[in-house]
Amino acid sequence: MGHLVTLVPGDGIGPEVTAAALLVLDAVGADIDWDTRHLGSSALDRGETSAVPAGTVESARRTGCVLKGPVSTPRDGGFRSPNTGLRRELGLFVQLRPVRAVPVAGGSAPPLDVVVVRQTGEDLYAGWELAPGSPAAVEALRAAGADDVSASGVSLKAFSPAAVRRTAEFALRWAQAHGRRRVTVVHKATVMRETDGLFLRVCRQVAAERPGAGTTGGVELDDALVDNACAQLVRRPAAFDVLLTGMLYGDVLSDLAAAVAGGVGLAPGAAYGPDAAVFEAAHGSAPRHAGQDRANPVGLIRSAALMLRHLGDGERAARVESAVDAVLAEGRDLTYDLAPGTPVGTRRCAEAIAERAASSG
C-alpha cells in the first residue's frame, strides 16, 4: 500500500492543474493512494453545509498530507476564506514558498534562488476584522486615537511571541538542513513597533539561542525593511537566500519573486503544522480561465515534487523537478504565459513534463 494523501482538486483552474500534477506523479510511478475531498464552493456545490467540511479536515488529519488545487474566496462576501479556515483547523503555522529562476525557451534567467518562509497563523491575513460602526471597532479606533470612529472598518494585525518563535525556529532549522547560509527577517518595525518590532526581536532571540550562533558554521540572521526588500528583489535578485516574515509581506514577496523568476504560475508552496502538511501552488484559482485548458500547471507540479520530498521520495521528486526544468528550457510545450511562440494547453504541457520525467527513471 502506498502513501495515503488527501487530494483537494479545488475550483476554477484547480481541477485542471491538479489533473496535470497527477499525470506527472503517475509518470514517475509515485506510490500514492488518494482520498479526494472538497473545499470552498466545490464543497458547497456538493451539498456540504460548510466551505471547510469536517470530512475534509478529518481526512487531512488522518493522512497528514494534502495536495491541494487553488480554492476561490468570494470577493463580495458569501463565505470566509476556506484556505484560511483549513489552515486554522490543521494548525498550519508556517508556509514555505521556494522561488528558483531557470532559463525559459533558451533565454537567460536572473540569479534568483530564494525561499520565502511566512508565518500563517497571525498578521493581517488571519481574518481578524471588526465591522464598520460595531462597538468593538469604535472602541478600538478610539483607543488608537483615530479621527473617524463611526464608520471605519478594522483589520487587526497581531503577532504573539510564541507563534513568532515557532516560525523562526522552523525557518532557521530548515535553512541549516538545506544548506542555506542566511535568513533575512523582513519587517516594517520602524513604523509598527508593537507588531513588526516584536516579530524582529523574537527572531533575533531565537537566532542568538541556537547552537553555533555567531560562528561560521551557523546560519546568519539579518533583517530588511519590506519596501527595501521588494526593491532589492527586483534590482539584485541574488541578494537574498531565505526571507522570514509575516503572512501579508510573505504573500507580496513570494509573488514578486515569482514574477522576477518568470511568473507566479511557476511557483510552488507548502504549509506545515504539527500533524499535517499541505502542498499547493502559489497562484489563485483564476476562474476566468477555468475549463479552457490554458492554465500553467508548473506551480502545482513543483508543489507535488515538494510533497514527494516530504514523503521521503527524493529520487522521484528530483526527476519531476529536472523534467520541469528541461521542458521550460526547451520552450516547445509551454502555456500562454511563458510560450515565446504558439502556446500549448495545460494538458499538453503536463504531458511533456511527464514524458521527460518517465524517461529519466
Side-chain angles (χ1 to χ4, degrees):
M1 181 177 177
H3 299 284
L4 182 61
V5 175
T6 301
L7 178 68
V8 178
D11 54 58
I13 61 171
E16 296 167 77
V17 296
T18 301
L22 297 187
L23 181 68
V24 176
L25 290 173
D26 287 344
V28 295
D31 192 11
I32 297 174
D33 296 314
W34 301 103
D35 181 18
T36 302
R37 300 286 175 160
H38 298 279
L39 197 67
S41 60
S42 63
L44 297 173
D45 290 344
R46 285 168 171 77
E48 297 284 356
T49 57
S50 169
V52 186
T56 301
V57 175
E58 290 166 4
S59 173
R61 288 175 176 157
R62 183 174 68 254
T63 66
C65 185
V66 181
L67 182 64
K68 174 178 167 291
V71 175
S72 304
T73 297
R75 297 187 179 185
D76 54 356
F79 53 83
R80 290 186 177 274
S81 169
N83 301 300
T84 299
L86 185 66
R87 282 196 293 264
R88 285 178 175 169
E89 291 288 343
L90 298 180
L92 304 177
F93 66 91
V94 64
Q95 187 177 59
L96 205 70
R97 285 187 174 176
V99 182
R100 178 175 57 88
V102 298
V104 176
S108 60
L112 176 63
D113 182 4
V114 67
V115 178
V116 178
V117 180
R118 61 192 288 240
Q119 190 210 48
T120 56
E122 299 178 324
D123 200 4
L124 282 170
Y125 275 17
W128 298 326
E129 295 193 298
L130 306 176
S134 66
V138 170
E139 181 181 357
L141 289 164
R142 280 179 177 159
D147 293 330
D148 183 1
V149 302
S150 62
S152 299
V154 176
S155 292
L156 298 175
K157 177 185 177 99
F159 285 127
S160 65
V164 175
R165 171 171 286 275
R166 183 168 56 173
T167 305
E169 288 173 346
F170 177 96
L172 290 163
R173 186 170 60 247
W174 187 94
Q176 185 99 41
H178 291 82
R180 301 281 178 155
R181 300 304 302 272
R182 184 161 54 94
V183 174
T184 301
V185 182
V186 180
H187 61 91
K188 196 68 175 179
T190 51
V191 176
M192 289 170 279
R193 299 175 185 271
E194 303 304 326
T195 50
D196 286 26
L198 182 150
F199 193 100
L200 178 59
R201 289 193 299 273
V202 173
C203 289
R204 286 173 171 167
Q205 291 168 4
V206 171
E209 294 165 2
R210 284 181 57 80
T215 69
T216 55
V219 176
E220 176 190 356
L221 185 107
D222 62 7
D223 69 280
L225 296 175
V226 63
D227 44 354
N228 182 53
C230 290
Q232 294 305 319
L233 268 176
V234 174
R235 296 178 59 193
R236 298 191 302 123
F240 298 113
D241 193 1
V242 176
L243 300 175
L244 169 58
T245 190
M247 200 169 349
L248 173 59
Y249 301 157
D251 198 23
V252 174
L253 287 164
S254 58
D255 279 6
L256 176 59
V260 172
V264 72
L266 299 173
Y272 298 92
D275 302 311
V278 176
F279 300 88
E280 59 185 329
H283 61 73
S285 58
R288 70 183 185 280
H289 296 313
Q292 298 180 33
D293 189 39
R294 69 193 307 260
N296 186 344
V298 170
L300 195 60
I301 291 171
R302 281 177 160 173
S303 300
L306 292 178
M307 181 191 71
L308 289 175
R309 292 192 184 279
H310 175 74
L311 295 173
D313 197 346
E315 185 270 335
R316 286 186 174 85
R319 286 168 58 192
V320 171
E321 291 163 349
S322 294
V324 168
D325 290 356
V327 170
L328 290 175
E330 288 169 355
R332 291 196 302 267
D333 295 291
L334 303 181
T335 49
Y336 77 98
D337 54 323
L338 297 174
T342 303
V344 301
T346 306
R347 180 77 181 185
R348 178 54 207 153
C349 180
E351 287 172 347
I353 295 170
E355 291 161 6
R356 179 60 69 103
S359 66
S360 66

